[in-house]
Amino acid sequence: MATALDGDTRLIHVRYAGLCGSDLPKLHPTWNAPVPDPWFPGHEIVGLDALTGDWVTVDPLVSCRACPDCEHGRTHLCRRLQRIGWDLPGGLAEAVRVPSSNVVQLPVLRDHAHGVLADPMAVAVHGVRCGLRARSGRLGVIGSGALGVCTAVRAAHAGWDVHLAARSPARVIQLRDALANLNIDVHHRTLPDCDAVVDAASGHNDSPLRQAAAAVRDGGTVLVQNAYAPYVALSLPLRDLFARSITVRGSFSYCRADGHDDFRDALVLLSLGGAWADLLTHDRYPLLELPSALAAMRHDSPNRPAKVLLTSDT
């Protein structure tokens, strides 16, 4: 079968690769759902273009560009979508070859490593832009990993009154300091009543979605960005949910609809920098120490970082 790598490609010397929360469970032997065979993970890539020497990142979504969804910019809904780090080789390697059209030059960043946040920030940009019916109000965000933090940052820039819930008291302290200049309120576990709530937590069970439903006002919106594990079911009685006229929307990945390009818009936000980006890219492991990085990200790890990066830097 033809793949996107049969056309014009670029070789990228990987310098930083982020471990996405959606990758972590699949990299553990307890994962009980299919993965590609062979699988070469890693879709959050920053490196050097072997042809130009430029610092670049990689848009991991490779769409067909010809179907009706692609023609309207809904590339994330393309039926023939291929994803770098899933269907195509990813960045947990010293180098990776990707389609040339998916190579994006980095803007000026305080730290090149911030570029690995382009993917979670693009998910956040898409969710806030396309998934929320209102354009302002009180927004709750559940989840203190990269996606939750990026969503809070994007929403604050868009004018929302943002409240972020984190499970760990230590993480609450970290995030209050890192997000102080954006006036984002960080809470330990709970949220105030909100006009909309984004579920950006880890999807091992349905507790984040139940918390979101409890925190949103009647008539409000729950936006689900959570990549729930297979077979997780909603235990909330549906009558209780819909009798309150709550809108529950899924927001998958990102797109290029309505004159926007979520991935490139995300890079613009990253160019603004911030202590929150430093926090999310602080924990770095050499590529060969992947097992140590996975151990650090276990849910029962006492000092679990918000995110980890693998690096070829010496």
Side-chain angles (χ1 to χ4, degrees), residues 79-97:
R79 295 293 181 90
R80 288 180 283 177
L81 183 70
Q82 294 178 306
R83 293 160 292 177
I84 293 166
W86 186 253
D87 311 284
L88 303 171
L92 299 194
E94 292 182 349
V96 62
R97 187 169 291 279

Side-chain angles (χ1 to χ4, degrees), residues 24-82:
L24 290 172
K26 302 180 185 73
L27 289 166
H28 283 286
T30 55
W31 178 255
N32 60 357
V35 296
D37 184 19
W39 178 38
F40 302 99
H43 59 270
E44 301 174 351
I45 302 168
V46 167
L48 294 171
D49 187 326
L51 180 64
T52 66
D54 293 331
W55 279 94
V56 298
T57 185
V58 176
D59 181 343
L61 303 187
V62 186
S63 63
C64 76
R65 299 173 178 260
C67 68
D69 280 317
C70 285
E71 289 177 353
H72 289 89
R74 300 188 294 265
T75 49
H76 62 309
L77 299 179
C78 173
R79 295 293 181 90
R80 288 180 283 177
L81 183 70
Q82 294 178 306

Side-chain angles (χ1 to χ4, degrees), residues 81-168:
L81 183 70
Q82 294 178 306
R83 293 160 292 177
I84 293 166
W86 186 253
D87 311 284
L88 303 171
L92 299 194
E94 292 182 349
V96 62
R97 187 169 291 279
V98 300
S100 295
S101 58
N102 287 72
V103 177
V104 184
Q105 187 166 347
L106 282 182
V108 176
L109 301 175
R110 187 165 67 190
D111 184 340
H112 289 124
H114 290 180
V116 302
L117 302 175
D119 178 80
M121 182 58 82
V123 175
V125 168
H126 178 73
V128 172
R129 182 173 67 84
C130 297
L132 298 177
R133 292 188 300 175
R135 287 292 172 260
S136 63
R138 178 182 287 172
L139 179 70
V141 179
I142 300 171
S144 58
L147 180 55
V149 173
C150 286
T151 298
V153 170
R154 174 67 187 102
H157 279 286
W160 287 86
D161 171 24
V162 182
H163 296 257
L164 175 67
R167 289 181 297 181
S168 162

Side-chain angles (χ1 to χ4, degrees), residues 165-189:
R167 289 181 297 181
S168 162
R171 184 66 55 78
V172 170
I173 294 171
Q174 284 181 324
L175 289 174
R176 282 177 178 168
D177 182 57
L179 297 169
N181 68 321
L182 291 173
N183 296 317
I184 294 172
D185 289 317
V186 184
H187 306 263
H188 182 221
R189 292 185 176 271

